[in-house]
Amino acid sequence: MNLLLIQIVLIGVVLAIAGRLVFSRGVRTQAVRRLGLVGFAAFAVWSILFPSVWNSIAHLVGVGRGTDVVLYALVLAFLSFTLTSYMRFRELENRYTRLARRIALDEAAPPRDPVAEPASAPAPAPAPEVPAQEAATNDDA
């Protein structure tokens, strides 16, 4: 099995992206993401000004055409975006769950104190009310 340099680089980048997104969180990850976006934009401007740079990179890593390198880069960018979005939504869902639990606990009625309310015998059931006219009829009989 002959691996080209581009295959090794792509596999390494995919594993690095997945590992970074799975195991790192917080402000540092957000800063790295922003720096990556700035680098991507700068490289996009550079490749617009000098389109032959992709062919040079392609020949450097063992790919025939520059468009293939662009395709691989876009696949990696899409993978990174997808994983980042997934991690962000998962974190938001966890925050909403914690918030809903906190609100439910804060708004719950306090439990009754069994010591304050002495146990008493159940109150007798109230007698059924008999209408006055029917009661008079029963007295006549």
Side-chain angles (χ1 to χ4, degrees):
M1 180 174 175
N2 289 335
L3 289 178
L4 295 176
L5 179 61
I6 188 67
Q7 291 171 322
I8 295 170
V9 169
L10 289 174
I11 290 171
V13 170
V14 167
L15 293 177
I17 289 171
R20 186 182 65 84
L21 292 175
V22 169
F23 295 116
S24 64
R25 294 181 184 165
V27 177
R28 185 175 180 183
T29 302
Q30 188 174 5
V32 169
R33 189 178 323 137
R34 287 182 181 168
L35 287 175
L37 181 63
V38 169
F40 185 77
F43 196 71
V45 169
W46 187 42
S47 65
I48 290 170
L49 293 175
F50 305 103
S52 63
V53 70
W54 289 107
N55 285 330
S56 301
I57 293 173
H59 293 299
L60 182 71
V61 295
V63 177
R65 299 180 305 170
T67 56
D68 293 338
V69 174
V70 172
L71 176 66
Y72 297 150
L74 290 177
V75 167
L76 292 178
F78 180 73
L79 175 67
S80 176
F81 173 76
T82 303
L83 287 174
T84 303
S85 297
Y86 170 74
M87 297 295 290
R88 187 179 311 153
F89 282 123
R90 195 171 81 177
E91 180 63 28
L92 284 175
E93 288 174 355
N94 288 338
R95 284 185 184 178
Y96 287 141
T97 301
R98 286 191 304 251
L99 180 64
R101 286 179 183 162
R102 172 54 43 204
I103 290 172
L105 288 174
D106 288 345
E107 292 182 354
R112 290 190 206 175
D113 189 11
V115 176
E117 297 178 12
S120 61
E129 291 185 25
V130 178
Q133 186 178 28
E134 189 175 309
T137 309
N138 288 342
D139 289 340
D140 291 342

